[in-house]
Amino acid sequence: MKLKNILLILLLLVSFSSFAQGGRMRGKKEQVKALKVAFLTNELSLSTAEAEKFWPVYNAFDDKQFELRHQKMRAYMDRMDDGSVEKMSEKEAATFLVQMENTEDELYQLRKKFVSNLKGILSPVKIIKLKKAEEDFNRKLLKQYRDKQPRR
């Protein structure tokens, strides 16, 4: 229990130091990641043994998921936003749709493999709590972002 509290304090300190660095995107990403680690650790009540096994698996999954979402999906979104969708032939649109579906399938397969890997580390209840905690964290982050936006 003491280790968990020390970990949370350390993560909060890291997040505050990242915040103090200013508006650099990397610092913000590190800050969000530190806050997410603290949030998930708290929500899942991970034991020391669980945490030692869980975080390497989670971080590998999270990095791969980020890569898929921000590289492939970003390219798709850019293509849709640049107006080229209006100029696509039916054949090009069909190919584009297959590429998008393949990326979505990759994300699904990645999540499925991740959950399978977690079954040897966490109980089914904690795996479900993880999914809920991730969604709660994302909602909380989005709310904070919206609250910081100037009112029009």
Side-chain angles (χ1 to χ4, degrees):
M1 192 66 168
K2 287 181 182 179
L3 179 64
K4 187 167 123 179
N5 290 338
I6 291 170
L7 178 65
L8 286 173
I9 291 169
L10 179 64
L11 290 171
L12 288 174
L13 289 174
V14 168
S15 69
F16 288 130
S17 68
S18 295
F19 182 72
Q21 291 177 359
R24 289 188 227 148
M25 195 61 156
R26 184 170 180 231
K28 288 194 181 281
K29 183 181 175 194
E30 289 174 10
Q31 177 190 15
V32 169
K33 191 166 188 160
L35 291 171
K36 185 176 186 180
V37 167
F39 186 83
L40 294 179
T41 298
N42 186 50
E43 292 294 309
L44 296 177
S45 302
L46 296 174
S47 69
T48 304
E50 288 173 328
E52 286 175 1
K53 294 175 185 174
F54 170 76
W55 286 113
V57 172
Y58 185 84
N59 289 333
F61 162 75
D62 198 45
D63 291 345
K64 182 65 177 169
Q65 180 179 247
F66 180 84
E67 178 185 316
L68 282 172
R69 287 181 189 237
H70 289 86
Q71 288 181 353
K72 290 186 177 185
M73 293 304 278
R74 180 98 225 115
Y76 301 149
M77 296 309 291
D78 289 346
R79 189 164 177 196
M80 285 192 264
D81 289 343
D82 71 4
S84 64
V85 172
E86 304 299 325
K87 300 170 190 164
M88 271 186 199
S89 69
E90 288 298 317
K91 186 176 179 180
E92 289 171 327
T95 301
F96 187 56
L97 187 57
V98 167
Q99 290 171 341
M100 290 173 54
E101 289 170 338
N102 288 341
T103 300
E104 288 293 334
D105 189 50
E106 279 183 75
L107 285 165
Y108 171 74
Q109 293 301 327
L110 180 66
R111 169 70 76 177
K112 194 172 175 181
K113 182 179 176 190
F114 171 62
V115 169
S116 177
N117 291 339
L118 285 182
K119 287 179 181 175
I121 299 169
L122 301 177
S123 70
V125 170
K126 282 192 178 181
I127 294 171
I128 292 169
K129 283 183 177 181
L130 170 64
K131 180 68 174 160
K132 181 182 181 322
E134 286 177 315
E135 290 174 4
D136 290 348
F137 179 80
N138 289 337
R139 267 195 234 77
K140 184 178 174 181
L141 194 64
L142 186 58
K143 183 182 182 324
Q144 287 177 352
Y145 175 77
R146 287 181 179 157
D147 290 347
K148 285 185 178 182
Q149 296 302 310
R151 303 286 177 201
R152 293 181 192 189

